[in-house]
Amino acid sequence: MAAPTPINLTAAVNNMITAYNDAAGRPTPDFSELASGNIGGRTLSSGLYKWSSGVSIPANIVISGGPNDIWIFQIAGNLNQSAATIVTLSGGAQAKNIFWQVAGEVTVGTTAHIEGIILCQTGITFNTGASINGRALAQTGVILDGNSVVQPQ
């Protein structure tokens, strides 16, 4: 790698780890173990959510709040979003204010759509046709297969 790539890469990795640790270290959740991790079909208001296991999104969800609201999802296990499901924003909620902090692996199913910034300690897999309005940052790898990744504004 030619300069400045090594320095930029090191800075990016360190920034991701700092963001991951900040999200993981937030105390006093507003919601703890919501729906035992099965959040499909729900409308989620702003706040700090915490699960000591995995989270599944087997049906569409809505993230609802204002443009300055923040959502942090602390997930100790895996995050699995089923195929063809959609995470929708409402009320002015913005993808840049949504943080999925995942200790396990993340899988976004075929043609599914997710909103927000994924900070993953392990790996992220976007199945064929899946999309994100946000960022997918992992400490090991991100696997893409014909996906759309849009940087949040």
Side-chain angles (χ1 to χ4, degrees):
M1 291 184 281
T5 301
I7 292 169
N8 291 343
L9 183 59
T10 299
V13 169
N14 288 336
N15 289 343
M16 184 278 180
I17 292 169
T18 299
Y20 177 92
N21 289 338
D22 179 81
R26 298 285 176 117
T28 321
D30 300 299
F31 306 92
S32 187
E33 309 302 334
L34 178 68
S36 299
N38 180 340
I39 61 172
R42 296 189 175 272
T43 297
L44 306 173
S45 59
S46 62
L48 176 60
Y49 293 74
K50 183 179 182 100
W51 291 274
S52 60
S53 60
V55 168
S56 64
I57 306 173
N60 295 346
I61 65 171
V62 176
I63 297 179
S64 180
N68 297 316
D69 290 345
I70 304 289
W71 293 259
I72 299 175
F73 302 103
Q74 297 174 334
I75 304 168
N78 297 333
L79 171 61
N80 292 303
Q81 182 174 353
S82 296
T85 58
I86 299 171
V87 174
T88 302
L89 304 180
S90 74
Q94 297 189 67
K96 68 180 183 179
N97 295 336
I98 302 165
F99 301 91
W100 303 88
Q101 176 266 311
V102 183
E105 297 180 356
V106 175
T107 303
V108 180
T110 303
T111 70
H113 177 78
I114 191 166
E115 297 272 343
I117 299 163
I118 302 171
L119 303 165
C120 184
Q121 188 174 24
T122 314
I124 302 170
T125 300
F126 282 86
N127 290 331
T128 305
S131 62
I132 182 172
N133 178 25
R135 297 183 184 273
L137 306 169
Q139 292 181 23
T140 57
V142 176
I143 299 170
L144 301 172
D145 182 13
N147 309 107
S148 172
V149 178
V150 177
Q151 179 177 337
Q153 299 299 320

